[in-house]
Amino acid sequence: MICIMKVRVSAWRLIGLLSIVLLIGAAVTFGFTFNFFLKPINQWQWQAYAIIAIWLTISVALVLASLLGSYYEVEKSYVIVHKGHQKLMYNYSDVVYIDEEQSVRRKTVCFYTRQGHCRYLMFDKKGILYKVMISNCKHRLSKEDFKKKYPQVKL
């Protein structure tokens, strides 16, 4: 299998998403261990510094792993989404509707499969994935036809 094009996810958008996760993780971590941080900083014990060091190490590792492991492989008839060790393949023939308005506004490709499932793929830096999907998905329906064929799916 030869990859036609390897496209990286936009680093800033991925870091922005991860920052939300890391802030929640920090709130939980430091919320459970707040007793170590009640004293003035010059009176902290080694546990407080260890908690900060462990949290920073895990955060940096998570960001690096996400940046290096998140990319798309664009092929002639499908796209493979790499999320760490997980690989998801989407055939262009299975895509029945691409919400172009929402995709451009949110910079996230929003498409629906034949099963009526909605999928979101983050834009790359230049928007190549969006352009390729628009041009290669030949079986796309109009918004009205999609609503008729899939009345249970809300757009």
Side-chain angles (χ1 to χ4, degrees):
M1 176 169 64
I2 299 171
C3 175
I4 293 178
M5 189 182 331
K6 187 174 177 180
V7 181
R8 290 244 172 242
V9 176
S10 173
W12 290 112
R13 290 184 54 80
L14 192 59
I15 289 172
L17 182 65
L18 284 172
S19 64
I20 295 168
V21 173
L22 293 176
L23 285 174
I24 292 170
V28 170
T29 302
F30 295 114
F32 281 120
T33 60
F34 73 95
N35 339 357
F36 294 113
F37 302 100
L38 292 177
K39 298 176 183 173
I41 195 166
N42 59 354
Q43 295 177 359
W44 281 1
Q45 295 181 358
W46 67 271
Q47 290 96 339
Y49 295 110
I51 291 168
I52 293 171
I54 290 170
W55 184 82
L56 281 174
T57 304
I58 291 172
S59 298
V60 169
L62 181 65
V63 169
L64 287 176
S66 296
L67 286 175
L68 295 175
S70 299
Y71 60 93
Y72 307 119
E73 285 183 16
V74 179
E75 304 285 342
K76 287 182 182 177
S77 60
Y78 56 89
V79 62
I80 299 175
V81 180
H82 291 265
K83 295 179 180 179
H85 294 291
Q86 185 181 16
K87 293 181 185 178
L88 304 169
M89 186 174 85
Y90 298 109
N91 287 318
Y92 297 132
S93 60
D94 289 340
V95 176
V96 292
Y97 179 69
I98 297 176
D99 194 343
E100 295 178 36
E101 179 184 319
Q102 182 178 348
S103 295
V104 172
R105 185 171 12 108
R106 294 188 178 178
K107 297 203 183 273
T108 302
V109 180
C110 174
F111 65 93
Y112 293 84
T113 63
R114 285 186 184 181
Q115 293 81 23
H117 299 144
C118 182
R119 301 289 184 244
Y120 297 95
L121 301 178
M122 224 183 284
F123 264 32
D124 52 287
K125 200 171 190 178
K126 297 177 184 174
I128 295 171
L129 179 69
Y130 174 71
K131 294 172 191 169
V132 167
M133 288 197 70
I134 290 291
S135 64
N136 288 349
C137 296
K138 306 293 184 202
H139 304 288
R140 289 188 298 145
L141 301 172
S142 67
K143 191 172 188 173
E144 294 77 25
D145 291 339
F146 180 78
K147 284 182 179 180
K148 287 178 189 173
K149 191 170 183 178
Y150 300 95
Q152 73 279 10
V153 177
K154 287 192 174 189
L155 295 178

